[in-house]
C-alpha cells in the first residue's frame, strides 16, 4: 500500500521534471535547426551561383568560339576558288517566284559575274545572267526553294553573261532562300573534249580512227534513215603501200598516208565522215548520196591525188583503189555489213584492174628524190590537177 502510494507520487514528479528540461532545451534545438537550415540554404545558393557562373562562362566561351568559327568560315568563303552566292526569292502577288536577289556573295562569284564585290549584293539575277523564269536553271533553283531538294548540274554559260563557258552549279535550301555554289569547269570540259578527240582520232592523219568512225557512223546512218536520206559508204586502200615502205622507208610511207588523208578530207564535204580504219585503209561515209554522186566523189579523190603527185612532195607517186556500197533510207543493213560489202567491192575492183600493178611499177621505177620544203603539208588545191595516177 505504501509502495503504491509512493510510486504514484514519484511518477508525476518525473514527468514534470522531464517536461521542464524539454521546455528549457527547446530554444537550443530550434536555433540548431534554424542554423542548419540557413547553412543548407547558403550551400544551395552558392552552388546555384557557381553553376550559373559556369553556365555564363560556358556561353561566353561558346560565343567566342562561334564568332571565331564564323570568322574562319567567312575568310574561307572569301578565299574560295568557287563562287558562293546566297539567293533570296522574289515572289509576285500570287506567291510565285519570279526572280532572285543576291543577299550575299564572295569575291569569286563577283568575278564570275564581272561585278565589284561591294556592289553585287542586292542585285537581281536576271540583271546579271539573264536568268529568266522560262529557263531550266531558273525552274530548278525555284524548285529547290519550294521543295528543299538539292540541285546539281553542269550548265553551259554564255560568255556575255558569265566569265566562263561552263559552270558546275550546286544549290541547297538555306532559311528562306538558297545557297548556290558556282565552279568554273571550262578547263575540265576542254580537257575532256581533248581526250575524247584523242580517243577517236588517228594520231598520224588527224582523221577519225576506227573507234571514232564506228561510233559516229552508227548515229549518222540512223539519223539519215530517219530523215529518209540515202547514204554511200566508200572503202579505200593505198595501192602498193608495202612497196612504198620497202623501197623508200616507213617514214615516207607515213608521209604518204598523211598526204592521202588530206586529199580525202579536202575532196569531200564537211559533213562527210572520213576515217583511217588502220594501216593503209580508209573509209568515207556520205549522206544523201544519189547514184551520180559516187562518180563525182571518185573524180574528186582522183583529182586531189593527181595534184599531190604533181606537187612532187613524195619521192614516188601514190594512188588508191576505191570500193563503195549504196544504202537506201529504207535499208536496215548494219554498219558492219556495209563495211564488209564495200570491202568486197574494193577487192573485186582491184582484181579486175591493173591499177595496183601499175602503181607498184611506178614506185619501183621512181628515181626522183623526195622534196621537203616549207608548206609541204598544205592541202592540195584544185588548180594543180594533172592526170598522173588513176584510181581503181
Amino acid at each position: 500500500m505504501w509502495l503504491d502510494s509512493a510510486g504514484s507520487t514519484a511518477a508525476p514528479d518525473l514527468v514534470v521534471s522531464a517536461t521542464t528540461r524539454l521546455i528549457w532545451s527547446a530554444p537550443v534545438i530550434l536555433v540548431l535547426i534554424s542554423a542548419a537550415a540557413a547553412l543548407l540554404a547558403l550551400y544551395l545558393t552558392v552552388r546555384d551561383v557557381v553553376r550559373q557562373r559556369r553556365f555564363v562562362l560556358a556561353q561566353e566561351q561558346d560565343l567566342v568560339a562561334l564568332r571565331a568559327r564564323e570568322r574562319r568560315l567567312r575568310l574561307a568563303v572569301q578565299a574560295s576558288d568557287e563562287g558562293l552566292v546566297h539567293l533570296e526569292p522574289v515572289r509576285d502577288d500570287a506567291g510565285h517566284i519570279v526572280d532572285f536577289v543576291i543577299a550575299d556573295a564572295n569575291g569569286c562569284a563577283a568575278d564570275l559575274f564581272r561585278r565589284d564585290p561591294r556592289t553585287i549584293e542586292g542585285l537581281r539575277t536576271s540583271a546579271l545572267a539573264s536568268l529568266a523564269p522560262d529557263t531550266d536553271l531558273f525552274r530548278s533553283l525555284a524548285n529547290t526553294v519550294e521543295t528543299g531538294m538539292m540541285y546539281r548540274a553542269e550548265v553551259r554559260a554564255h560568255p556575255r553573261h558569265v566569265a566562263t563557258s561552263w559552270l558546275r552549279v550546286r544549290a541547297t535550301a538555306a532559311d528562306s532562300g538558297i545557297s548556290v555554289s558556282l565552279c568554273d569547269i571550262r578547263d575540265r570540259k576542254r580537257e575532256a573534249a581533248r581526250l575524247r578527240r584523242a580517243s577517236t582520232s588517228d594520231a598520224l592523219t588527224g582523221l577519225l580512227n576506227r573507234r571514232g568512225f564506228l561510233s559516229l557512223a552508227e548515229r549518222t546512218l540512223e539519223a539519215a534513215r530517219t530523215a529518209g536520206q540515202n547514204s554511200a559508204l566508200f572503202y579505200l586502200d593505198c595501192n602498193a603501200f608495202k612497196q612504198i615502205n620497202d623501197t623508200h622507208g616507213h617514214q615516207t610511207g607515213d608521209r604518204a598516208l598523211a598526204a592521202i588523208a588530206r586529199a580525202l578530207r579536202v575532196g569531200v564535204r564537211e559533213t562527210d565522215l572520213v576515217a583511217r580504219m588502220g594501216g593503209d585503209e580508209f573509209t568515207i561515209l556520205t549522206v544523201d548520196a544519189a547514184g551520180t554522186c559516187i562518180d563525182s566523189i571518185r573524180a574528186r579523190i582522183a583529182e586531189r591525188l593527181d595534184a599531190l603527185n604533181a606537187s612532187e612532195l613524195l619521192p614516188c607517186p601514190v594512188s588508191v583503189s576505191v570500193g563503195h556500197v549504196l544504202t537506201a533510207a529504207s535499208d536496215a543493213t548494219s554498219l558492219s555489213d556495209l563495211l564488209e560489202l564495200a570491202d568486197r567491192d574494193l577487192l573485186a575492183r582491184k582484181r579486175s584492174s591493173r591499177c595496183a600493178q601499175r602503181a607498184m611499177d611506178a614506185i619501183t621505177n621512181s628515181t626522183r628524190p623526195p622534196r621537203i620544203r616549207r608548206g609541204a603539208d598544205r592541202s592540195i588545191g584544185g588548180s594543180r590537177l594533172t592526170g598522173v595516177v588513176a584510181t581503181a
Side-chain angles (χ1 to χ4, degrees):
M1 176 67 109
W2 178 81
L3 290 174
D4 292 339
S5 62
S8 60
T9 304
D13 293 339
L14 292 174
V15 173
V16 172
S17 175
T19 303
T20 303
R21 287 196 299 270
L22 181 60
I23 292 173
W24 280 104
S25 62
V28 177
I29 296 174
L30 292 175
V31 169
L32 292 176
I33 293 174
S34 299
L39 290 174
L40 179 60
L42 179 62
Y43 168 76
L44 294 176
T45 302
V46 171
R47 187 190 64 177
D48 291 341
V49 170
V50 172
R51 287 182 177 179
Q52 187 68 23
R53 180 59 179 168
R54 289 176 179 173
F55 179 73
V56 171
L57 290 176
Q59 280 191 324
E60 291 178 352
Q61 291 174 355
D62 291 343
L63 182 60
V64 171
L66 182 61
R67 288 175 177 173
R69 182 183 179 188
E70 180 183 0
R71 184 166 56 253
R72 290 194 301 269
L73 288 176
R74 183 166 290 276
L75 290 174
V77 167
Q78 291 300 327
S80 175
D81 57 356
E82 291 189 10
L84 301 174
V85 184
H86 183 79
L87 303 178
E88 290 291 338
V90 177
R91 301 179 183 271
D92 58 13
D93 295 337
H96 300 136
I97 298 176
V98 295
D99 208 342
F100 289 97
V101 173
I102 297 179
D104 196 6
N106 65 351
C108 183
D111 293 339
L112 283 174
F113 291 119
R114 301 191 185 96
R115 295 278 179 156
D116 190 319
R118 296 168 295 181
T119 62
I120 193 173
E121 295 180 11
L123 295 177
R124 296 197 174 192
T125 56
S126 57
L128 289 173
S130 296
L131 198 62
D134 59 345
T135 61
D136 292 336
L137 179 57
F138 182 92
R139 286 191 288 266
S140 298
L141 295 180
N143 182 66
T144 299
V145 175
E146 301 294 354
T147 64
M149 296 180 60
M150 178 181 288
Y151 168 75
R152 60 180 64 190
E154 294 182 351
V155 180
R156 181 143 200 160
H158 197 293
R160 182 166 59 90
H161 303 144
V162 184
T164 184
S165 55
W166 279 95
L167 280 173
R168 187 190 66 208
V169 181
R170 294 178 179 174
T172 307
D175 298 330
S176 60
I178 52 174
S179 293
V180 183
S181 169
L182 305 171
C183 182
D184 184 357
I185 58 173
R186 170 180 47 190
D187 293 339
R188 181 169 67 81
K189 284 290 186 179
R190 288 177 176 174
E191 180 64 14
R194 186 191 69 79
L195 292 176
R196 282 197 303 271
R197 288 193 298 270
S199 66
T200 59
S201 62
D202 178 62
L204 176 64
T205 63
L207 301 177
L208 292 171
N209 59 17
R210 174 180 289 273
R211 175 184 178 183
F213 177 79
L214 294 178
S215 176
L216 289 178
E218 288 281 5
R219 297 198 294 267
T220 301
L221 276 176
E222 183 179 355
R225 289 166 176 170
T226 302
Q229 297 174 324
N230 300 329
S231 304
L233 179 66
F234 295 84
Y235 210 100
L236 310 87
D237 70 359
C238 178
N239 291 321
F241 180 68
K242 183 178 183 300
Q243 192 74 11
I244 295 177
N245 284 332
D246 293 344
T247 304
H248 300 281
H250 290 278
Q251 185 175 4
T252 299
D254 290 345
R255 291 176 54 214
L257 292 177
I260 291 173
R262 288 193 297 273
L264 296 180
R265 181 69 270 179
V266 174
V268 299
R269 302 171 301 178
E270 288 289 335
T271 56
D272 296 335
L273 299 181
V274 185
R276 180 191 176 196
M277 299 298 283
D280 63 332
E281 298 179 346
F282 299 85
T283 55
I284 300 173
L285 177 63
T286 180
V287 177
D288 198 17
T292 56
C293 182
I294 303 299
D295 295 335
S296 175
I297 292 176
R298 285 176 173 275
R300 288 200 301 269
I301 293 173
E303 288 174 355
R304 296 298 182 265
L305 292 179
D306 288 345
L308 170 63
N309 291 323
S311 68
E312 298 185 357
L313 296 178
L314 298 172
C316 60
V318 294
S319 64
V320 296
S321 296
V322 185
H324 76 273
V325 61
L326 285 171
T327 175
S330 57
D331 189 357
T333 305
S334 66
L335 177 62
S336 59
D337 290 340
L338 292 176
L339 287 170
E340 183 177 355
L341 292 173
D343 189 25
R344 290 179 183 176
D345 185 62
L346 167 66
L347 294 176
R349 290 174 183 272
K350 293 189 76 167
R351 291 192 188 99
S352 62
S353 173
R354 293 183 178 180
C355 182
Q357 184 60 45
R358 290 199 304 269
M360 185 176 298
D361 295 339
I363 293 170
T364 304
N365 299 327
S366 177
T367 58
R368 71 187 186 198
R371 297 178 56 187
I372 304 176
R373 63 178 185 273
R374 186 180 299 276
D377 290 339
R378 290 179 297 180
S379 300
I380 307 302
S383 60
R384 305 173 63 187
L385 305 181
T386 58
V388 178
V389 178
T391 58

